[in-house]
Each structure stands twice: as structure tokens, then as C-alpha cells.
Amino acid sequence: MSEISFWSNLSLQIRFILLQNRQGKTRLAKYYVPLEESEKHKVEYEVHRLVVNRDSKFTNFVEFRTHKVIYRRYAGLFFSLCVDITDNELAYLECIHLFVEILDHFFSNVCELDLVFNFHKVYLILDEFILAGELQETSKRAIIERMSELEKLE
Amino acid sequence: MASSNSLMDSLFQRSLEDLIKGLRLGESTFISRSLEEIRREIKLTDLSTKSVALQKLSYLAALHGVDMAWAAFHAVEVVSSSRFAHKRIGYHAIAQSFSDQTPVMLLITNQLRKDLNSSNEHEVSLALECLARIGTDDLARDLTSEVFTLLGSSKALVRKKAIGVVLRVFDKYPDAVKVCFKRLVENLESSDPQLLSAVVGVFCELTAKDPRSYLPLAPEFYKILVDSRNNWVLIKVLKIFAKLASIEPRLAKKVADPVCEHMRKQNVGKSLLFECIRTVFSSLSDQETALKLAVAKIREFLVDDDPNLKYLGLHALSIVAPKHLWAVLENKEAVVKAMSDEDPNVKLEALHLLMAMVNEDNVTEISRILMNYALKSDPLFCNEIICSVLLPCSRNSYEIIVDFDWYLSLLGEMARVPHCQRGKEIEHQLIDIGTRVKDARLELVRVSRALLIDPALLGNQFLYPILSAAAWASGEYVEFSKSPYEIAEALLQPRTCLLPDSIRAIYIHSAFKVLVFSLGAYFSAQQPTSPPLAQESTSSGHSMVNGFTYNSISSLVNMIELGLCSLSGTIDVEVQERAKNILGFIGMIKHEIAEKATSQNSETEGHRAIAFMEDVFSEELGPVSSTAQEKVPLPEGLELNENLEGLQEICREVLEPMAESDYSSDKVSFSVAKLRIRDQEEASSSLPPPLESSSLLAEHRKRHGLYYLSSQKSEDHNDREGNDNNTSNEYPPANEISVDSFKPKKKISKPRPVVVKLDEGDEPKRKPDASSSNDESLSRAIQTALMGKGKGKEKEKEIVKENHEMNVDTENIEQSSRREKKNKKNGERSSKRSSRRQRGKEASVTKPVEVPDLLL
């Protein structure tokens, strides 16, 4: 499993972010580590399998290969973040929640279809939020302001 | 849908939204059709069309696994547009699809440079984001100065992103440190929390790799720890201090106070609280007040309803368990309660904690509780339980086990747990205990017998290793068994055909040992004047052995012969050989038994054969220390320096591939075996003809004896004469200390049996991996930058020297990276990878850094 050891040597906090629905379809996939297409598929399949079977009463953190996946379900979508074993789980849970709040604000009561049709916007928001696997902006207000600036440029 | 739209297709380009809508209606053929369209559109000159095509392609690549590497050049084209929308699409595509192997990577350097220097901050940020994601060594090197400028930009947004990029740049191009580090550190003093968060984040990652180099920055971090109100920043700073405090204990004392302050706050966020607790547990556990406070706080976590908090509480306890078990013991009820939680993660943590609490007194009780859980659990958790019982019990040569009889019966019980898949570990422990603990052998044989007799177990493939151990033990210690006939019968029962051949071979060999033992017992019983059998022990259940009558021995022999006849034609060579050996032996001594009934002649061939065989099996097999080889004294007249040039060549070929990968004992034995074969070939060709070939080998062995692996014990004992004192070296006088000082508790009646321990640990030693010049130069660069900040004028000379060293290092880096590029396969960087695992070791290699006095 070459990619596992490869990951652990890159100094990143977040390895990837996945948004998947209950059927396993990926709605958003942002990787901060280089991976082949087939490996990406494998990862998405495995993560989906891991999180979809867990009861809502269980913890929001699972071990994934040599890392951790922190996930939360919002309606029909699973938001999964893959981080280092030593990272602070609660902080990243808040991070996911912040992301969802921003999406909600941006799309006004966001639903899965919004994300499907506006994938480039979602990526834009994500890029403001996380740079090179590091959390760079934690203020909801700042991100929303920035997004409106960017919108004007289009 | 196909034909009616063809006119539309040729006139209008499908937008991204159309693509998505189309996809939702019908998938795979639509994708291939769209791909064709995209390929057409993307080659057109109009940038707008091109960019929409690229956008669609990015979508397909991201969510439907379509390959987009072929469009790399077009992405570069799109990025060169002056329109922001195009640039955005282009950069997004680049960030998504470019990798180190993309051939057009060189083309974007200039574009990136242009955009980084742009006055439009959005363009700058696009470029920064892209660089952060795809930065290669060359890009990092070429764009360092731009990044440097941006680190001082007036726009906070840009600065923040530049900081984010810096990490990647440092990673790829360590010399960038000389240029950028100062500005990076300046940003530590910023008041903008977002900026601070970014900087601290960067340092968090850097410190994780190499804590020692950043120790001088501790005062700045301390200020942030005390002043900041932002949780994210504080969490990161705590992580930094966790690393720093573990290498600099004086820091721990200073930091403990602010950490406690944070913990005591009224409305502290749970994430921050947890990080504080974690920091205290991992690095500040020597600070009493902090520790006590943290333990009090963790209790709140444990009793909370939120499963996340419960889990984290347990997790934190497991961090502190090794050094401060009292914290765990205080919370015992919570831990036990968590064992029956539904969440497998929680259960696992609770399990680990329970086993951390185990000691001599409660091991039986806890094991009993755990085995009950195991029977009720699903296979996965069941095996986890078994594994976590096996591990602590066997630690330090079974330190906590007092009653080995109980433990052996527990191992037997584990074998009967329906889901048990831990055959290998149980096998290892059974054999290990057999060789080390003489007094437990009776019980071992008893447990083994129970396992061997049961035909149902032969059907469970997970139990085969255990059965193999049971068979071996029964054969090796047959003198303890009540009924050798029963054992032999069990070993040769027809159902053993289910076993794999390797284990079958063990079964047969054990049957042989039983046979030899029985024959020996029979014959010496015939001679009332003979001394008591060497193998006879003084334990009580033993009187039956002498009861071998003619009938019983001949029925034993007949039974074995019958059982093995069918095997003499099997396909597996090992099984066949062993079966035939025994049958041959039986053939030799069969009439002996019949004669024995009448005559008393003890000098017949058959009798001597039996005696010889007994002798073979009379030597006890024991554990061998991994350092035993080193203790072999050099024989007189052995010259070590002869003929080593020849070996040098062989060694280089054979051992070099090992330098890149982990040290594993398999590889060693393979390479040494190769060595041995070549040695033998060399020996037979290089020595002068008059000598016979057998003594050639013998002589070669004498000269290069240290390089040979000893394969059989008997060989050892026969060949080398200087070896008898070695036996005593390998078995140092056993733990008499522990036996003497043992005070029997009220529950236990027997004193603890003697366990043969070896002088050093029994783990194979690990070779340190080769270090990398890249990481070293980065830390050296950081140290220089920090020291060159003016904290000591006499460092000037050192800096000059360091710069010179770094220039040399840069050359080395370039050379080694060139070499590595040649060795690259599929973008894998093998030696750098393995060396980075040894980051911790690097820290000790570099010079010690002085901690500024103002902190102490």
C-alpha cells in the first residue's frame, strides 16, 4: 500500500474532503495529496462504507488506514474529513459545521442539488476555507464577504 | 435524445449546467459523448469556449473519474487569459490535475510569476492557491522571491495565503528558508487572528517534524498562548508546546500555568479544553497541579452523554495510563461501563484501558470478565479482546503471570472460542511457555492433549497453528503425558488429513517422539537393574509409563505403522519422508520387541538404534537470546581480516537493496543465505585441489564461521568444541530473585515457577535508517536563520561556516535529487520517504540549540 506511507510524510493537516450521499455518490471531492484515479475511487468507496453504516449515536471519528476520518451527516449528505491521527477531532467537527453553515448561507437553505449544480462555487468556497490542507480562515463573515467580492468579478 | 440535438450540438456549446442536467438523466454513454465534444471544443482558439470545455472536463474528472491529464496544455492556455473567470477555471483545473510528472509544468512558471506579481489581489490569491497545491521543487525555487514579497504585502488576505504556501515551499526547497523565515517570524507578532492562525499553523507542522530547531521561538509562542482568545490559534499553539516541552522539560514548568488558566475558564470550548488535557497528559504529565486538574476535567468528559466526549475521555486516559495509572483506576467504573457501549470505537478504547490496569493480582479476574465478553461479541471485537489479553500477559516474559497452569488452560479455552482467529499468537505463547517454564510442562501437555483429541477442532483452519503447537508440545514433553498411546492415536487420526502438509509433518514427527519414548520406557523397564530413565520426572501422574507390557507396546507400534502406511505415498515430500523414516525405523525394531519378550540381549542392532534415537531427543530445546551469536568467543587462530574483500563485493550487491526499505529479519536471512551459497561456491573453487571437498567446506566454515547461520542444534553440539560454555551463557541463572522475594498471597498456594529469561530483550535489533540530507539542511537553515536574528554576535563566524556548509549541502541536494530522479518510478521517492520517517533521529543529529534565558 504505497500511498499510505506516502501520505504520512507530507506535512498536511487535512488529506482530503469528501461529500457523499447515502448511496455512495460523491458530490464533492477535494484531495490535498496526489493520488491516482483508481486510488481515489478506492478511497471514496472505503470511506463511504465506513461512515454509512455507523449509527447516529456513535462517535463522529473513525480510524481510516493510518489516519482518522471525522465525519458528520447533514440530511442525506456525509461530510468527511481525513486528518492526521494526532489532530483535534472536536476542532475539525466544528470546521465541518462551519463549512455547512457557509454553504447554507450562500445557497439559502442548501440542498444536495444546489451542490450538484454549483460545484465550481462550492470549490471556490472550499478554497477560501482551506489552503493546501491547512485551515486558513475560520470566520464565517470573512469568507462570505470574500465570496461576494469574487462573484462581482465574474 | 441523440439525433434531434445534433444540430444544436454543432451550433452551441453545452454549458456546465447542461452537462450536469444531461448526466442526471443518463450516464455512461452521455459521458463518452460529452468527452468527445469537450475534446473538440478545447482545441478551439476562442478562450471562452475553451474555458467552458475545461470546466466541464474538471467536473467530469472530479466526480466521475474521467482522466484529464491530456488537457494539461489547454489548461495553461486558459490560465493565460486576462479575464478573471477564465483564470479561475484554468487554475482550478491545474490544481486538480497537475502532478510532478506533468510535462507542461515548466510552462506555468512564468504565468504564476506574472500572477503573483499582479496588483489584483484575487489573481494573486488564485496563483497562491495553485502553487500551494502543485508546487514542485523547481517552482518552489523559482518563485521564492515572489512569495517573499507577498509575505510582506499590505493586504492581509494575500499575506495569509502566502503564509499558507510557505510551508509547501520550504518543504520542496529548503533554501527558501534563508529568504523567507524572517518575515514568517515577524508575522507571529501580528494582531490579526486569522493571520496568526495561519502562521501558527505553519509552525505547528514545522515543529512536528523537527522540534529542536524551533525552540528559540518559544517566547513568541508563549506570548500567544497567554494573550490569544481565538480557540483555533490556541489549539495549534498547544500542539507546538506539546512537542517543544517533550524535548525541553524546563519549558514544561513554565507552560503549565497558562494551560491551567485556560482549563479553569468558565466557558471554555470543549475542543480547547480537550487539547489542553491532551497536552498535559502527553508532555506536561510531570507537572502535578496541571495533571490533577486535567484528570478532574477528564472525568467530566467520561460521564457526558455525548458519545464523542466519552470516546475522547477514554482516549485521553489511555495517553496518560502508562505513567499515571491512578488516573485510570479512579475512573474504573466509567471504563467498565464503556465496555458494553454499542459503539465499537468506545468499546475498543475501554478494552485497552482495562488491559492497562491489569497486574498480578487481578489478571485472572479481568481475563475471566473479558473472555465472557468475547464469547458474546462479534468476531472482530472478540479477536480484539483475545489479542489484548495475550499481549500484556506475555509482556516481559510473562511478568504478571503467577499461576501458569491457569494461564495455559486459558490459552486452551481461547482456542475453543468460536471466532478465535489469533492462532499464531497463541501458538507462539504455548511453545514459548513450554520452553521457558519447566514446571508448567505438565499442564501444557494436558491442555495439548485435550486439543489434539478433539476431532472437531481439525476442521477450523484458524486453529491450525494452535494445533501445531499442541502437537509439538505433546511430542517434546511426552514424558509428562499420562497415556502416550492416546497421544499417538490422536496425532495420527484419519481426520488429520484436513491439516496442511507442514502441520501434518509436525504431527508425524511428534508421533515419532512418542514412539521413541515409549520404546525406551519399555526396554528399560525390562531391565530392572538399569538406572531410572533420564526423562522421567518426579511428578506424580507418571507411574503408568513403566506399565508398558508387550501387548501395549506392540499395539502402539502396530497402530503407528497402520496410520503411516497410507501416508508413504503422499505427494508432499516432507510428509512422505517422515512417514517413510518412521516406517523404516519400525521395520528395524519390530522383531526386537517380539524377541524382547524372550531374551535379554541388549546389544542387538535394533536396541542400539532405539538407544541412539532416545539420545537424539534427549537434549532440551530452549530459548535462544538474539545476542547469543555475539557471545560466541572467537576461536584461537581465527583471522578476521583475511578474505574480506571478496565478501565486500557480495555484501554490496546483496545488502544495498535493504538500505531503502525497513529492516526485516526475513530479508536478512535471505541475503545471508545468498552470502552462504556464494561463499560455498567460492570455497570450492578457490582452495587448492589436493584437499577433499568436504574438508574444503569445513575449513571455510572455520575461517568464516561467524558468517554462517547455525541451522540445527545437533550440528552445533557436534561441530564446535568451544560451545559448551555458550550454553550456560544463553541460559543465565533463572529468576531466582523473583522467586525468593515472592511473598505468597492468601489466595495462591503454589510459588511462582521459574521462568527462564534471557539477559537482554528478545526482540530483534533494528538498524537505524539512513538520514536524508534534505531534512538536515532544512533544520540547519532554520537554526541559522534564528541565530542570525541577532541573538549573539559571536555567531557571525558560525553563520559563515554554516552558509558554506549549506552551499555544499545544496550541491548535495541537487546531486541526490538528480540521482533520485533517475531512480523514480511512478513518482515514488523511496529513500527520501524512508528517511523522513526518521525525523526524530535527525533532531538529535543537529547541534543543540540554546534556549533563550529570558524564558527560564
Side-chain angles (χ1 to χ4, degrees), chain B residues 800-830:
Chain B
V800 173
K801 208 169 47 146
E802 292 246 10
N803 279 342
H804 176 69
E805 274 176 43
M806 277 202 296
N807 288 337
V808 175
D809 274 345
T810 326
E811 281 175 21
N812 286 343
I813 296 170
E814 284 175 12
Q815 274 179 21
S816 60
S817 60
R818 250 180 268 135
R819 229 187 303 132
E820 278 158 17
K821 280 192 178 119
K822 283 192 209 146
N823 293 341
K824 266 188 209 177
K825 291 180 271 177
N826 302 326
E828 276 172 46
R829 291 168 251 158
S830 43

Side-chain angles (χ1 to χ4, degrees), chain B residues 13 34-58 67-78 89 93:
Chain B
Q13 185 188 32
S34 312
L35 258 181
E36 279 173 35
E37 280 177 14
I38 291 172
R39 275 185 202 267
R40 238 186 326 117
E41 291 162 6
I42 212 167
K43 294 195 182 107
L44 301 174
T45 44
D46 174 32
L47 279 175
S48 293
T49 328
K50 214 193 272 276
S51 61
V52 172
L54 191 60
Q55 192 183 42
K56 290 194 284 187
L57 185 58
S58 308
D67 174 43
M68 69 180 280
W70 56 268
F73 182 68
H74 299 293
V76 178
E77 286 180 318
V78 170
I89 293 174

